[in-house]
Amino acid sequence: MERFVIRPSGPLSGRVQVYGAKNSVLKLMAACLLAPGVHRLRNVPRISDVTIMADVLRAMGAEVTHEGHGTGGHLEIAIPAEITPIAPYELVERMRASVVVLGPLLARYGSARVSLPGGDDFGPRPIDFHLRAFEAMGATVVTEHGYVEGHCDRLLGSRILLEYPSHTATDNILMAAVLANGTTVIENAAREPEISDLAAMLSEMGAHIQGAGTSRIEVEGVDSLRPADHAAIADRVEAATLISAVGLAGGDVHLEGARPEHMD
């Protein structure tokens, strides 16, 4: 399609189901690596980024099936007891968010080899925050030949101060911390609703997390986690876009699943 042609047609009306938040679903998929067994993620949009993340998990040995369509879709992700902790370049370069598998892999398997992220054309997004945090938690991290390699016996709880509230770094550190030995405190953490959604799923898996959604998150590490059955929050960006359309065109539209408090 080369263009959209949009013509005014009077006020808008109807009911629309808001899709699950992409920026939440991708991190929830990575979090499944933290526990063996069959995980079920609901309210999963059928979009290319979800397909790529599924391929990343499959490359490690997981089984991923996407059933249903649109907002009714759900994922079943079967994580075996042992996996290949490598995220290959040909997949990670298609989507930067793939780098969030680094934290779960180090936390559960003590080893990770993840390609440096590629993805959209917004320019470079250095992952130094992630790597310094993992080093502070006791991991040995080396970057060479386009890959990040990390190793540890077990991650250790630590105080992590982020230079700015990076969403992806907060996700990655949070997932690493839930299986670390001791208490991890993330200062200047990102506060987006998707962070809280990830923390909610991790808590359902048995993690001990306080402060998600604020600038200070405290995590008490546990020895093991269990599989999750979790519904992703609605996409606030999609909901706000539809709200803007109604604001411009007028009318009365009901957005199923939208969370007003996520759009303040």
Side-chain angles (χ1 to χ4, degrees):
M1 182 180 293
E2 296 181 354
R3 62 184 178 179
F4 294 101
V5 178
I6 304 169
R7 298 184 178 90
S9 60
L12 303 176
S13 64
R15 303 176 76 87
V16 180
Q17 181 73 39
V18 181
Y19 281 66
K22 179 198 77 168
N23 284 337
S24 187
V25 168
L26 300 178
K27 319 305 170 54
L28 302 178
M29 294 174 69
C32 294
L33 291 166
L34 290 162
V38 179
H39 302 255
R40 183 181 175 90
L41 302 180
R42 291 172 281 117
N43 197 25
V44 177
R46 191 175 287 273
I47 57 175
S48 60
D49 280 0
V50 169
T51 300
I52 295 169
M53 183 61 86
D55 288 340
V56 171
L57 297 179
R58 291 187 185 107
M60 299 180 191
E63 296 181 8
V64 184
T65 56
H66 196 163
E67 301 178 4
H69 298 281
T71 57
H74 68 268
L75 285 178
E76 286 197 358
I77 301 175
I79 304 295
E82 297 295 330
I83 66 168
T84 302
I86 299 175
Y89 170 79
E90 61 269 18
L91 294 175
V92 177
E93 64 99 16
R94 293 169 58 195
M95 185 183 63
R96 282 191 169 98
S98 306
V99 76
V100 294
V101 301
L102 187 57
L105 291 177
L106 282 174
R108 181 166 170 230
Y109 301 98
S111 177
R113 187 169 190 263
V114 178
S115 170
L116 291 172
D120 54 44
D121 297 323
F122 292 158
R125 294 182 182 174
I127 60 170
D128 292 350
F129 293 173
H130 308 233
L131 306 187
R132 287 199 296 268
F134 297 142
E135 288 174 334
M137 298 173 76
T140 299
V141 180
V142 177
T143 303
E144 59 183 4
H145 307 303
Y147 276 83
V148 174
E149 294 197 32
H151 301 279
C152 64
D153 292 328
R154 182 179 180 183
L155 293 175
L156 305 174
S158 181
R159 178 179 178 271
I160 309 296
L161 174 61
L162 295 177
E163 293 181 23
Y164 70 85
S166 164
H167 189 163
T168 308
T170 302
D171 287 324
N172 226 348
I173 298 164
L174 177 58
M175 288 188 282
V178 294
L179 289 179
N181 184 17
T183 301
T184 298
V185 176
I186 309 172
E187 301 277 10
N188 200 25
R191 298 179 295 158
E192 284 88 345
E194 293 82 7
I195 299 287
S196 297
D197 196 26
L198 173 61
M201 173 172 154
L202 293 171
S203 296
E204 292 166 13
M205 295 169 68
H208 299 160
I209 302 168
Q210 292 183 329
T214 75
S215 60
R216 186 181 190 275
I217 302 175
E218 184 171 322
V219 184
E220 182 67 36
V222 298
D223 292 331
S224 63
L225 297 170
R226 55 184 176 269
D229 184 338
H230 182 80
I233 60 173
D235 193 316
R236 60 197 167 97
V237 178
E238 179 185 344
T241 303
L242 297 171
I243 288 171
S244 299
V246 180
L248 289 165
D252 188 355
V253 175
H254 187 93
L255 303 182
E256 297 279 1
R259 302 275 290 273
E261 68 273 19
H262 290 174
M263 293 176 281
D264 286 346

